Amino acid sequence: MIFYFSGTGNSRWVAKQLAEAFSEELVPVADACVSGRMFSIGPDEKVGFVFPVYSWGPPSVVLKLLASVAFSRVPSYLYFVCTCGDDTGKTAEIFCKAVRRRGWECRAGFSVFMPNTYVCLPAFDIDWSDVAEAKCSQAVDRMAEIIPLIQRRVRRMDCFAGKFPAIKSYVIRPLFNRFWASPKRFHAEDACISCGKCVQVCLLHNIRLLDGKPVWGENCTMCLACYHHCPKHAVAYGKYTRGKGQYTFREDR
């Protein structure tokens, strides 16, 4: 069983590679959070979590699921694979602590470099196309390394933490989440054609159309699916996304 969260498709691609290799069920994290379902797992069944790194930590919705998900038995082999544009900080440590609070153990964790998608701060933008293509190509090789390790149920933490990981995850991340990770700056510009694509792709069902224009609620994890999937590039985050690019993973690579 593999739980995954993905706004632009990077982590979904990783999750699909694992599901195909192991012939396992894929479960969207956002759906699992609200389903109230008891997940039945076998005595030897692996349980995986796949998600992007947001501000050097797991997305809030992933941590919410870890705190509430119900399994029929204690997972015998629980692991995660996170995608990141650059580095992960203390993501592995934060994830493992959340798992231990449930009385479980995270046996393995891996990071996979994928194209950058964050555009909501000055100087942050998507990667140039050649950089994005190189990352996607390298991700194929990285997954070829990771899949056999998970299949053999190794105990390993192999995440690229980068420089000053504790400062990034335990100082900058809480400040960012408190003062910046807010949906209040989202709005639709004049190019909006009221197509409703942003409503359809919002994983947390946080967007609705009001008089033909999208309105954002408070239940947002800043996945930016609404921004990157907009066919008219009409979704904006304050003035910070002006002139920035859009990115979604292409399955035909």
Side-chain angles (χ1 to χ4, degrees):
M1 183 173 298
I2 300 165
F3 297 88
Y4 75 96
F5 184 78
S6 183
T8 60
N10 287 337
S11 293
R12 181 173 63 247
W13 175 80
V14 169
K16 288 175 68 175
Q17 304 310 300
L18 296 169
E20 290 172 6
F22 304 146
S23 299
E24 291 183 354
E25 177 186 4
L26 275 177
V27 182
V29 164
D31 293 350
C33 277
V34 298
S35 71
R37 170 185 167 188
M38 164 72 76
F39 291 92
S40 178
I41 57 176
D44 297 318
E45 185 174 348
K46 301 184 296 297
V47 176
F49 290 82
V50 180
F51 55 86
V53 172
Y54 288 171
S55 187
W56 302 291
S60 58
V61 67
V62 172
L63 295 177
K64 178 182 177 182
L65 178 64
L66 282 175
S68 62
V69 66
F71 294 126
S72 58
R73 65 178 72 235
V74 174
S76 62
Y77 185 82
L78 189 150
Y79 68 93
F80 73 88
V81 180
C82 62
T83 59
C84 62
D86 298 294
D87 53 16
T88 67
K90 291 287 187 178
T91 293
E93 188 171 277
I94 295 169
F95 184 90
C96 290
K97 285 181 179 178
V99 170
R100 284 198 299 272
R101 282 194 286 271
R102 296 299 307 274
W104 308 329
E105 180 184 1
C106 180
R107 303 296 180 92
F110 305 91
S111 63
V112 179
F113 288 121
M114 292 293 279
N116 277 301
T117 63
Y118 189 73
V119 294
C120 296
L121 279 173
F124 282 75
D125 202 346
I126 65 170
D127 292 321
W128 293 103
S129 59
D130 57 337
V131 175
E133 290 295 333
K135 284 184 176 180
C136 289
S137 177
Q138 292 162 7
V140 174
D141 296 333
R142 176 63 168 158
M143 290 305 297
E145 296 175 3
I146 292 172
I147 288 171
L149 296 175
I150 295 173
Q151 190 72 281
R152 300 203 307 268
R153 298 172 181 254
V154 299
R155 289 174 174 262
R156 184 176 303 180
M157 287 295 156
D158 183 8
C159 296
F160 181 71
K163 295 181 178 179
F164 314 113
I167 293 175
K168 290 174 177 176
S169 293
Y170 295 128
V171 178
I172 298 175
R173 179 172 177 265
L175 291 172
F176 175 86
N177 287 340
R178 181 175 181 182
F179 296 109
W180 197 259
S182 167
K184 293 180 180 179
R185 294 181 178 87
F186 280 116
H187 65 276
E189 297 189 323
D190 292 342
C192 175
I193 57 173
S194 305
C195 67
K197 183 69 173 180
C198 53
V199 176
Q200 297 169 19
V201 300
C202 181
L203 301 171
L204 301 185
H205 309 294
N206 186 53
I207 305 173
R208 61 189 177 93
L209 291 183
L210 182 63
D211 297 327
K213 299 297 181 181
V215 176
W216 282 259
E218 293 297 323
N219 186 29
C220 179
T221 194
M222 294 295 290
C223 73
L224 301 185
C226 56
Y227 168 87
H228 288 290
H229 283 90
C230 178
K232 294 298 181 179
H233 208 165
V235 172
Y237 191 75
K239 296 180 180 180
Y240 300 100
T241 51
R242 188 167 297 168
K244 305 284 183 73
Q246 290 175 296
Y247 167 86
T248 53
F249 184 84
R250 294 201 330 265
E251 296 286 349
D252 60 351
R253 277 190 173 90

